[in-house]
Amino acid sequence: MKMLIHRLATSKAHGEDSPYFAGWKAYEENPYHPLNNPSGVIQMGLAENQVSFDLLEEYLEKEQEQVFKCGSNFRETALFQDYHGLKDFKKALASFMGEIRGGRAKFDENRLVLTAGATAANELLTFILADPGDCLLVPTPYYPGFDRDLRWRTRVNIIPIHCDSSNDFQVTRKALEDAYKEAEKKRSKVKGVLLTNPSNPLGKVIPRKILEDILDFVTKKNMHLISDEIYSGSVFAPNEFVSVAEIIEENGYKNSERVHIVYSLSKDLGLPGFRVGAIYSYNPNVVITATRMSSFSLVSSQTQRMLASMLSNKEFTEKYIRTNRERLRKRHEKIVEGLKEAEIECLEGNAGLFVWMNLRPLLEERTREGELKIWETIVNEVKLNISPGSSCHCSEVGWFRVCFANMSEKTLEVALKRMKDFVEKKKNKKQQQQQQQLLGYYFG
Amino acid sequence: MRPSTVPLSEVAVSKTHGEDSPYFAGWKAYDEDPYDAVTNPSGVIQMGLAENQVSFDLLEEYLEEHPEASSWGSGISSFRENALFQDYHGLKSFRKAMASFMEKIRGGKAKFDADRIVLTAGATGANELLTFILADPGDALLVPTPYYPGFDRDLRWRTGVNIIPIHCDSSNGFQITIEALEAAYSEAEVAKMRVQGILITNPSNPLGTVMTRSVLELLLDFATRKNIHLISDEIYSGSVFSSTEFVSVAEIVEARRHEEAERVHIVYSLSKDLGLPGFRVGTIYSYNDRVVTTARRMSSFSLVSSQTQKMLALMLSDTEFTERYLRTNRERLRKRYEFIIKGLKSAGIECLDGNAGLFCWMNLGPLLEEDTREGELKLWELILQEVKLNISPGSSCHCSEPGWFRVCFANMNLQTLQVALKRIKEFVDGRKPKN
């Protein structure tokens, strides 16, 4: 084909050649099923929330009339393509976001911009806040999809803010300054910091003090702060999450023009297929521009209408948020305990749909290659698709993200047993090797 | 807007969103004083919105008879599966239904492979996506004028790509000529812009006409000679008044046995033919495997709601329904078109001979005080403020010939259209002709 295909089409910034996606392939070719394929690959690389569907299904069953009546509503809904979004839906979403934060922050629906998923929201914000060649600072480890979402079409760079286990992977002032200096060396203008809070893949909320430090930093450097809070409804205890919105409100909205929050219903409500994302910005210019730009990725009006009634039902949302938290907490406990029995430690987590598992003791070499080697073994022999820390740009090797909410409890038990067996086998093999070495020493 | 203290990007502060043009200003006048037969009979009638409202009853009837389309059935166990489905390949059943629908629209004269369909949140998303894939910042796409004002934003804003107009005028019914093509290409060369493709809208917005087979052949030959792409935006293909007059570029590709097909890409959407702009259903159909793969990945930024995909998969696989819908929709649009043409004629106003779309291309040249863009805008403002009709001036569509206006006729009921025609007649009668 002699045609010129544009650079974007040939660039690899879509990121699909990374292990993050290769593991999915192994799963797709041999998916676990308790009856049909009990020795298949168990998918633990997909951060989906499947623990609370029954609550949604129950709601839909009860409210069928309300939710699905077509009649005169159909025409209006079908024609509604206003990029300002359905007012009822935005009100309901703003209120839901406030509820998730225990009422500690209020959200004005006029600052909300709807987008087809957080994927679109993050890209859109990047287009608005940064020029091609500029960069955003992102703490590592981070969601592998950011490499595509923040960089691909925007041509903006990501400079990592390196975090490690010495302080539970928290962002430090030094790490921030180092990242900033690295950008300067590369002659790339830093336009902002992008956080995920609660963190993916760490499964932990960012402490208040750290958020304040980061806010100070971005204010001093006159840059933006994007806080991706898509897991905010999945914090196990009701009061442990501090949103950047709370800090802004406490400070009387001073310096808030640089702060933008991303939300979505894909994780907390388990509705990734419906493509419901939102940008909440304290900057009126960003709200106006993002609203216009959302034309490229609007949320289906059919979906907005259905969710407007669901999220305005306070009885439902209160019950959902409370129950979902509790179930995730229980699942989290189960996996942490199960891994402990296999003598595997995890980072102490308090949120999200995954744990950050430490397999450093099992690495043959403490290198990226060592990590990928054990990962391959786990995918191909233990038949668990987990995500290696290197695909999340973690600078410390040996960590893995393991999802626990996208499967039934029984499947989780099977997975934990496999891990236990794997670790034991490895231990025994090591012991055998050590014994043979000793024998060799004495009798060799 | 008060400038932000924290800097925003160049894209953010640029005016390329295009919302300062008359195309959007007229909407404001409408929003502030909208016509209503009962509560505001002297308000502004919206004739600048290309929406199809003539066939809703057919959709409503279908949904009434098939409640399973808009819910998840009893037990709702399929809800979970649907809610989790975020695969950028899109629901297979929906793609198959779309492919079949697109074939029906073309009377079976072209075949569509469901695996070449990429779903996007609307044609707006599709056109931008294709531009990202086919061109670099600074490159150019050639677009025949007059064209849909939204292209200025969709093709240029975030992509950094330029539009070079292929000038068309009334001397030959606004058809593209080889001279105009060559002139546009040269203009790009002079501006040191690499031309990466041609983007046509067929049937045309705002002209309301289909492209002839010979022009389509001309375009494909030209694209082949210059080794560039051809994007055919066919979102009005189901709104051609007669069932046989539309020739899709897909037919030309098949007639040429897919030679040079790798440069051809079609955009479609359900916003116009089915009247569902709110549901955000667009597609890219490409004969180029690399483009399909890349577009699919890139569609992550604008996926179609799985809830919507599911409902429409059911509706569009119902061939009895789609056949009846297409047939009835065509007929109703044709009647509306005839109605407005007749009404305008009796006011002494001529339109371009149209055969498709949701609008007519009206010639108010004789009423202009000056044969200039300013003259046109003056007349436009008069019509907006005094006649209280929001119509779209040709200059907002980059028409090089002043005096033409796009007038939509399918986004209102017949009574409202009658009122609008009456107002136009009164306006024309009250004005002295140019000479």
Side-chain angles (χ1 to χ4, degrees), chain B residues 30 33-38 40-46 415-416 419 423:
Chain B
Y30 167 76
D33 180 23
Y35 170 84
D36 181 283
V38 176
N40 190 19
S42 60
V44 175
I45 297 179
Q46 173 65 283
Q415 284 82 358
T416 307
V419 172
R423 288 186 190 177

Side-chain angles (χ1 to χ4, degrees), chain A residues 56-69:
Chain A
L56 296 169
E57 288 160 353
E58 191 185 283
Y59 171 84
L60 290 171
E61 187 103 46
K62 223 165 52 165
E63 307 290 334
Q64 289 244 25
E65 259 310 298
Q66 242 281 327
V67 172
F68 300 122
K69 66 178 180 192

Side-chain angles (χ1 to χ4, degrees), chain B residues 286-416:
Chain B
S286 177
Y287 295 93
N288 184 316
D289 292 345
R290 198 84 156 294
V291 171
V292 172
T293 305
T294 307
R296 212 181 260 147
R297 289 175 174 153
M298 222 182 250
S299 70
S300 302
F301 298 110
S302 45
L303 295 176
V304 179
S305 168
S306 55
Q307 173 195 20
T308 301
Q309 290 189 51
K310 175 191 166 294
M311 177 178 90
L312 296 173
L314 256 122
M315 195 192 272
L316 296 185
S317 346
D318 187 330
T319 46
E320 195 264 332
F321 167 74
T322 55
E323 265 163 29
R324 188 163 41 95
Y325 181 92
L326 288 171
R327 200 182 350 111
T328 314
N329 183 54
R330 273 190 186 119
E331 187 52 30
R332 291 179 180 179
L333 288 175
R334 189 182 61 75
K335 285 211 170 88
R336 274 297 174 100
Y337 174 77
E338 278 169 7
F339 187 82
I340 193 177
I341 292 300
K342 196 153 162 247
L344 290 174
K345 218 177 191 130
S346 73
I349 296 175
E350 295 291 323
C351 292
L352 180 71
D353 213 5
N355 55 2
L358 312 174
F359 31 71
C360 57
W361 190 235
M362 178 172 76
N363 184 8
L364 294 187
L367 296 184
L368 294 184
E369 276 174 21
E370 316 166 6
D371 224 349
T372 60
R373 189 172 185 269
E374 289 66 37
E376 176 186 289
L377 285 176
K378 231 170 135 204
L379 180 62
W380 170 73
E381 260 177 56
L382 200 64
I383 294 179
L384 181 61
Q385 308 296 351
E386 292 183 24
V387 191
K388 303 283 192 70
L389 299 177
N390 178 34
I391 60 181
S392 310
S395 47
S396 68
C397 304
H398 300 278
C399 189
S400 44
E401 196 174 303
W404 293 85
F405 292 78
R406 186 191 79 169
V407 185
C408 298
F409 57 71
N411 62 307
M412 65 195 74
N413 63 31
L414 209 56
Q415 284 82 358
T416 307

